[in-house]
Coordinates of all heavy atoms in Angstrom, one line a residue:
A1 N 23.5 -111.6 -34.5 CA 22.9 -112.1 -35.7 C 23.5 -111.6 -37.0 O 23.3 -112.2 -38.0 CB 21.4 -111.7 -35.7
V2 N 24.3 -110.5 -36.9 CA 24.8 -110.0 -38.2 C 26.3 -110.1 -38.2 O 27.0 -109.7 -39.2 CB 24.5 -108.5 -38.3 CG1 23.0 -108.3 -38.4 CG2 25.1 -107.7 -37.1
Q3 N 27.0 -110.8 -37.2 CA 28.4 -111.0 -37.3 C 28.7 -112.0 -38.3 O 28.1 -113.1 -38.4 CB 28.9 -111.4 -35.9 CG 28.9 -110.3 -34.8 CD 29.4 -110.8 -33.5 OE1 29.5 -112.1 -33.3 NE2 29.8 -109.9 -32.6
P4 N 29.7 -111.7 -39.2 CA 30.1 -112.7 -40.2 C 30.8 -113.9 -39.6 O 31.3 -113.8 -38.5 CB 31.0 -111.8 -41.1 CG 31.6 -110.8 -40.2 CD 30.5 -110.5 -39.3
A5 N 30.8 -114.9 -40.4 CA 31.5 -116.1 -39.9 C 33.0 -115.8 -39.8 O 33.5 -115.0 -40.5 CB 31.2 -117.3 -40.9
A6 N 33.6 -116.6 -38.9 CA 35.1 -116.4 -38.7 C 35.9 -116.5 -39.9 O 36.9 -115.8 -40.1 CB 35.6 -117.4 -37.6
A7 N 35.5 -117.3 -40.9 CA 36.3 -117.5 -42.1 C 36.1 -116.3 -43.1 O 37.0 -116.2 -44.0 CB 35.9 -118.8 -42.8
Q8 N 35.1 -115.5 -42.9 CA 34.9 -114.4 -43.8 C 35.7 -113.2 -43.4 O 35.8 -112.9 -42.2 CB 33.4 -114.1 -43.9 CG 32.6 -115.2 -44.4 CD 31.1 -114.9 -44.3 OE1 30.7 -114.1 -43.4 NE2 30.3 -115.5 -45.2
K9 N 36.3 -112.5 -44.4 CA 37.1 -111.4 -44.2 C 36.6 -110.2 -44.9 O 35.9 -110.3 -45.9 CB 38.6 -111.7 -44.5 CG 39.2 -112.8 -43.7 CD 40.7 -113.0 -44.1 CE 41.3 -114.1 -43.3 NZ 42.7 -114.3 -43.7
G10 N 37.0 -109.0 -44.5 CA 36.6 -107.8 -45.2 C 35.3 -107.2 -44.6 O 34.7 -107.7 -43.8
L11 N 35.0 -106.0 -45.1 CA 33.9 -105.3 -44.7 C 32.6 -105.8 -45.3 O 32.6 -106.0 -46.6 CB 34.0 -103.8 -45.0 CG 33.0 -102.8 -44.4 CD1 33.0 -102.8 -42.9 CD2 33.3 -101.4 -44.9
R12 N 31.5 -106.0 -44.6 CA 30.3 -106.5 -45.1 C 29.1 -105.6 -44.7 O 29.1 -105.0 -43.7 CB 30.0 -107.9 -44.5 CG 31.1 -109.0 -44.9 CD 30.8 -110.3 -44.2 NE 29.5 -110.8 -44.4 CZ 29.2 -111.6 -45.5 NH1 30.1 -111.8 -46.4 NH2 28.0 -112.0 -45.7
F13 N 28.2 -105.5 -45.7 CA 27.0 -104.7 -45.4 C 25.7 -105.5 -45.6 O 25.7 -106.5 -46.4 CB 26.9 -103.5 -46.4 CG 28.0 -102.5 -46.2 CD1 29.2 -102.6 -46.8 CD2 27.8 -101.5 -45.3 CE1 30.2 -101.7 -46.6 CE2 28.8 -100.5 -45.1 CZ 30.0 -100.6 -45.7
A14 N 24.7 -105.2 -44.9 CA 23.4 -105.8 -45.1 C 22.3 -104.7 -45.4 O 22.2 -103.7 -44.6 CB 22.9 -106.6 -43.9
L15 N 21.6 -104.8 -46.5 CA 20.6 -103.8 -46.9 C 19.3 -104.2 -46.3 O 18.8 -105.3 -46.5 CB 20.5 -103.7 -48.4 CG 21.8 -103.2 -49.1 CD1 21.5 -103.1 -50.6 CD2 22.2 -101.9 -48.6
T16 N 18.7 -103.3 -45.6 CA 17.4 -103.5 -44.9 C 16.3 -102.7 -45.6 O 16.3 -101.5 -45.7 CB 17.4 -103.1 -43.4 OG1 18.5 -103.8 -42.8 CG2 16.1 -103.4 -42.8
P17 N 15.3 -103.4 -46.2 CA 14.2 -102.6 -46.9 C 13.4 -101.8 -45.9 O 13.1 -102.3 -44.8 CB 13.3 -103.8 -47.5 CG 14.2 -105.0 -47.5 CD 15.1 -104.8 -46.4
V18 N 13.1 -100.6 -46.3 CA 12.3 -99.7 -45.5 C 11.1 -99.3 -46.3 O 11.2 -98.7 -47.4 CB 13.1 -98.4 -45.0 CG1 12.1 -97.5 -44.3 CG2 14.3 -98.8 -44.2
Y19 N 9.9 -99.7 -45.8 CA 8.7 -99.5 -46.6 C 7.9 -98.3 -46.1 O 7.9 -98.0 -45.0 CB 7.8 -100.7 -46.6 CG 8.5 -102.0 -47.1 CD1 9.0 -102.9 -46.2 CD2 8.6 -102.1 -48.5 CE1 9.6 -104.1 -46.7 CE2 9.2 -103.3 -49.0 CZ 9.7 -104.2 -48.1 OH 10.4 -105.3 -48.6
G20 N 7.2 -97.6 -47.1 CA 6.4 -96.5 -46.7 C 5.2 -96.4 -47.6 O 5.1 -96.9 -48.7
V21 N 4.2 -95.7 -47.0 CA 2.9 -95.4 -47.7 C 2.7 -93.9 -47.7 O 2.9 -93.3 -46.6 CB 1.8 -96.1 -47.0 CG1 0.4 -95.7 -47.7 CG2 1.9 -97.6 -47.1
T22 N 2.4 -93.3 -48.8 CA 2.0 -91.9 -48.8 C 0.6 -91.7 -49.2 O 0.1 -92.4 -50.1 CB 2.9 -91.0 -49.7 OG1 2.8 -91.5 -51.0 CG2 4.4 -91.1 -49.3
I23 N -0.1 -90.7 -48.6 CA -1.4 -90.3 -49.1 C -1.4 -88.7 -49.2 O -0.8 -88.0 -48.4 CB -2.5 -90.8 -48.1 CG1 -2.4 -90.1 -46.8 CG2 -2.5 -92.3 -48.0 CD1 -3.6 -90.3 -45.9
P24 N -2.2 -88.2 -50.2 CA -2.2 -86.7 -50.3 C -3.2 -86.2 -49.3 O -4.2 -86.7 -48.9 CB -2.8 -86.5 -51.7 CG -3.5 -87.8 -52.0 CD -2.8 -88.9 -51.3
V25 N -2.8 -85.0 -48.7 CA -3.7 -84.2 -47.8 C -3.8 -82.9 -48.5 O -2.9 -82.1 -48.6 CB -3.1 -84.1 -46.4 CG1 -4.0 -83.2 -45.5 CG2 -2.8 -85.4 -45.8
I26 N -5.1 -82.6 -48.9 CA -5.4 -81.4 -49.7 C -6.2 -80.4 -48.8 O -7.2 -80.8 -48.2 CB -6.1 -81.7 -51.0 CG1 -5.2 -82.6 -51.9 CG2 -6.6 -80.5 -51.7 CD1 -6.0 -83.3 -53.0
V27 N -5.8 -79.2 -48.8 CA -6.5 -78.1 -48.0 C -7.1 -77.2 -49.1 O -6.3 -76.6 -49.9 CB -5.6 -77.4 -47.0 CG1 -6.4 -76.3 -46.3 CG2 -5.0 -78.4 -46.1
R28 N -8.4 -77.0 -49.1 CA -9.1 -76.1 -50.0 C -9.7 -75.0 -49.2 O -10.6 -75.2 -48.4 CB -10.1 -76.8 -50.9 CG -9.5 -77.8 -51.9 CD -10.5 -78.5 -52.7 NE -9.9 -79.4 -53.7 CZ -10.4 -80.4 -54.3 NH1 -11.7 -80.8 -53.9 NH2 -9.8 -81.1 -55.2

């Protein structure tokens, strides 16, 4: 799925978003 077409030359990169959620954990 990520192989470039035969006509395309050179090094290619694909950026993949990585999502995250943070929550605070407080110890009193």
Side-chain angles (χ1 to χ4, degrees):
V2 298
Q3 288 181 344
Q8 296 174 334
K9 296 182 179 180
L11 188 61
R12 297 172 59 83
F13 292 92
L15 298 181
T16 303
V18 177
Y19 299 104
V21 174
T22 61
I23 66 169
V25 180
I26 297 169
V27 182
R28 288 178 178 160

